[in-house]
Amino acid sequence: GKLKTRSSNLTEGINKKMKAALLCLVVMANLLADSTTAQGSTFEFKCGVDELKEDFISRMDNVEGKLNNVEGKLDNVEGNLNNVEGKLDSVEGKLEGKLDELQVQHQDLQGKIDRLATVMDGKLDDLNKLLKKVITSQYQPVDGGWTQWGTWSASGSYFEQTRGRTCSNPAPSNGGSSCTGESDEKETCKGGRCKGEKLYASDGYSFFKTPVPYGTSMEHPAVSKTCIGAGMKSACSFTKGCGYNSGSCRMTPLSTTSCASNAQCTMHPLSKLICNGKQADKCPQLEGMFSDYKYPTQGYQGYVGGKFVRARIKADVYHVSKKETPYFAYCVL
């Protein structure tokens, strides 16, 4: 930009001096053309052409010097540019190497991302299934279902058995319908279900711990009636001829020959066989059992809480078989 400005200024200066020289030459030519003035006259004109020439040459030399100086600087700039270009080529090579390295890392990373995405897809499928299951279980109506019937239990009058079930298999939820039908069932106890637990068997005799129906007072003839209702007979505490036997009991090899009013040992023969020789009040299997021992004022005898007891507690008050404290009859088949 400076070079262009200086060239423009130089050209303008030369043009002004040339115009002055040309004007001088025109004036001189007009004077020579005038015959009256020219005859016998000597004119000396100095229009400055030589000075203009010398000034022009000087200026041109100056311009040439400056142009040479500029050319040298341009060569220097070109050298610097070549140096920069070399450095740029070096940087480009390094960048290309780094780019190749990054591409390899990118491919490796992409592979890991793809594998992770595959795993995540599987996990998301599992999660969706779990969520669907949870949502279904929480919000979908579930109809109730009955459990299996429970075991029969003695209740109420003689041999009226009850059993129950619950609507909890599954329980109704989220507006599902409840179970239809009864939750309790009653029927008269029949057959082997009424016999209870078999404690011992020998020589064709089977001895049972038969449940006495709940609500039954243990006064005569509760034991014998319980055994008859179960299709058996009460086991006689004593051998034949003892007045403390009831008329409905059955003699067995375990009936004792000791016919006494204070017969606390009527079930001792059975206790020794099933409890390793222990007395009846020390035999857990006989807990709550009463034998058919007909004592006029005391009623049956039995074992409650590990102790010998009489069925009659006091006047007109007897032990009663209950759900929380069930009693059992000593029966034989």
Side-chain angles (χ1 to χ4, degrees), residues 5 38 50 87 91 93 96 104 125 135 141 150 169 229-230 250 269 271 279 301 306 327:
T5 301
D50 293 336
K87 292 181 178 181
V91 170
E96 288 178 352
V104 173
D125 289 341
I135 292 173
N169 187 33
R250 180 183 180 186
S271 172
Q279 296 295 320
Q301 72 160 6
Y327 294 140

Side-chain angles (χ1 to χ4, degrees), residues 152 159-163 185-190 193:
W152 287 100
F159 305 110
E160 183 181 73
Q161 302 289 294
T162 64
R163 63 178 181 175
E185 187 177 53
K186 295 180 180 180
E187 70 173 25
T188 301
C189 175
K190 296 177 182 179
R193 200 170 61 232

Side-chain angles (χ1 to χ4, degrees), residues 157-231:
S157 60
Y158 278 102
F159 305 110
E160 183 181 73
Q161 302 289 294
T162 64
R163 63 178 181 175
R165 58 181 179 174
T166 60
C167 186
S168 58
N169 187 33
S173 60
N174 302 326
S177 60
S178 186
C179 302
T180 58
E182 301 297 328
S183 61
D184 296 301
E185 187 177 53
K186 295 180 180 180
E187 70 173 25
T188 301
C189 175
K190 296 177 182 179
R193 200 170 61 232
C194 303
K195 288 182 172 62
E197 179 185 0
K198 182 189 287 189
L199 298 177
Y200 180 73
S202 179
D203 299 328
Y205 294 89
S206 296
F207 299 88
F208 288 85
K209 182 180 182 179
T210 304
V212 176
Y214 300 149
T216 300
S217 173
M218 296 307 295
E219 56 186 308
H220 183 76
V223 171
S224 59
K225 191 173 182 180
T226 297
C227 294
I228 292 172

Side-chain angles (χ1 to χ4, degrees), residues 8 32 45 76 103 111 118 149 158-159 175 191 202 213 230 245 262 273 285 291 294 313 320 323:
S8 176
L32 290 176
F45 292 94
N76 187 29
Q103 286 178 341
T118 301
W149 284 104
Y158 278 102
F159 305 110
S202 179
N245 287 332
N262 188 23
L273 292 172
Q285 287 92 321
S291 65
K294 187 182 69 172
I313 301 173
V320 177
K323 187 174 183 179

Side-chain angles (χ1 to χ4, degrees), residues 28-59:
M28 183 181 67
N30 289 331
L31 290 175
L32 290 176
D34 189 351
S35 61
T36 58
T37 306
Q39 290 180 358
S41 299
T42 300
F43 298 94
E44 183 178 358
F45 292 94
K46 293 183 179 181
C47 295
V49 175
D50 293 336
E51 290 82 356
L52 178 61
K53 179 180 178 182
E54 291 176 358
D55 183 62
F56 179 76
I57 292 172
S58 175
R59 289 178 180 272

